[in-house]
Amino acid sequence: MTSRRALPALATVREAVARYLGVLAVFALSACSAEDRATPPHEVRELAGSPQAQQYRKKLEDQLRATVNAYAKDTPLTLSLLTINDVCAGGKARKLFFQDGDDRYKIRCDMRATAYFGAGPHRIGDVLDGILAGCDRAQKTPDPLDTIPFRHGPDGRSSLVDYYRGVGPNPNSPSTLEPSYLYADRQRLTWDTLRSSRKTLVADTVCRDDDPPVVRCLREPAGRTVDDIRKQHGMVFKLEISNIDYYIVSKKGTIIVPR
């Protein structure tokens, strides 16, 4: 190829490279837009402490407390310790691959509650029957958090009561481990095993550091422990209500209320 022919070809290559670099520059600038950046810590704290966040936070906390109190009022369980943990996390920077949704919001806040109840180990059959009866009496609502979700019925829970009263077999199978939990919707109720040779005891769940309004860790009463409850009552029941989103702000600034 002569030098005269090479020069136009070289110019074409340079133009193509310039266009490519221009596209990259535009993409880089767009990636730095507010909607594509990770939410800075100061903005996360500001949003977490906003009146809107406080409103939705209180609403969900009141509802969680109402659920826990339903067990205390309508069952033989004695409420002895309540922990509430809520966390507000900032959104991540825009992701081109392996997207999981955490780059679509400025902030997302969720809350969970864990309650510990005391009960007498020699009357666990009556206690479980009382829990199921409390659900039977509860008014049915479309929101599963408003009531106890475990009831008598054809799902085998009545046979669980018979098993602990000593008048029926293991409802799961004679060869399986002692049943020690009930699960429905967002609620999980577990208790200390009594009949197994190797005991499984309810453990204390310690929530994260307390740094409101971004992280809250309430423990009522503060000095109470699961071991204290077990020493006083004989055994422990643990109610866990799983994480529930209550306040989300999209990257575009739209407030999303999941519930």
Side-chain angles (χ1 to χ4, degrees), residues 95-110:
K95 296 181 179 180
L96 296 180
F97 307 102
F98 308 108
Q99 296 182 358
D100 57 8
D102 61 3
D103 60 345
R104 300 176 184 175
Y105 57 84
K106 289 185 178 181
I107 189 174
R108 180 174 67 184
C109 301
D110 62 62

Side-chain angles (χ1 to χ4, degrees), residues 16-229:
V17 171
R19 286 195 299 269
Y20 178 72
L21 292 176
V23 171
L24 288 181
V26 171
F27 180 80
L29 289 174
S30 65
C32 293
S33 67
E35 292 185 15
D36 293 326
R37 293 195 303 264
T39 313
H42 70 86
E43 187 174 1
V44 173
R45 181 168 292 277
E46 180 181 350
L47 289 170
S50 66
Q52 295 92 340
Q54 294 179 33
Q55 174 187 349
Y56 297 127
R57 181 180 295 124
K58 184 179 185 305
K59 180 179 179 181
L60 179 57
E61 182 177 333
D62 289 346
Q63 191 171 21
L64 294 178
R65 288 180 180 276
T67 301
V68 171
N69 288 333
Y71 282 84
K73 295 177 181 178
D74 300 331
T75 77
L77 297 173
T78 301
L79 178 60
S80 301
L81 173 63
L82 172 63
T83 66
I84 294 178
N85 181 217
D86 75 78
V87 178
C88 292
K92 306 299 182 182
R94 183 184 179 188
K95 296 181 179 180
L96 296 180
F97 307 102
F98 308 108
Q99 296 182 358
D100 57 8
D102 61 3
D103 60 345
R104 300 176 184 175
Y105 57 84
K106 289 185 178 181
I107 189 174
R108 180 174 67 184
C109 301
D110 62 62
M111 185 184 302
R112 73 173 186 265
T114 306
Y116 301 87
F117 303 85
H122 302 298
R123 50 188 294 268
I124 183 173
D126 293 338
V127 171
L128 288 169
D129 187 47
I131 293 171
L132 302 181
C135 178
D136 294 340
R137 292 191 299 269
Q139 181 179 1
K140 295 181 179 180
T141 67
D143 192 332
L145 282 174
D146 288 341
T147 187
I148 303 168
F150 314 114
R151 57 176 59 86
H152 291 96
D155 52 10
R157 289 170 180 161
S158 295
S159 59
L160 179 66
V161 174
D162 293 338
Y163 168 76
Y164 274 108
R165 281 177 171 165
V167 296
N170 186 325
N172 298 329
S173 170
S175 60
T176 60
L177 297 175
E178 173 184 351
S180 60
Y181 73 90
L182 291 170
Y183 178 82
D185 302 316
R186 294 180 180 271
Q187 298 185 32
R188 179 180 175 89
L189 184 68
T190 57
W191 54 86
D192 295 341
T193 58
L194 300 175
R195 297 190 171 189
S196 303
S197 57
R198 187 174 181 178
K199 303 296 183 183
T200 301
L201 303 179
V202 167
D204 196 342
T205 301
V206 181
C207 58
R208 307 176 192 180
D209 294 337
D210 192 41
D211 183 25
V214 179
V215 179
R216 290 195 316 145
C217 182
L218 305 180
R219 190 176 179 92
E220 304 170 350
R224 189 72 159 163
T225 68
V226 172
D227 288 339
D228 293 338
I229 302 170

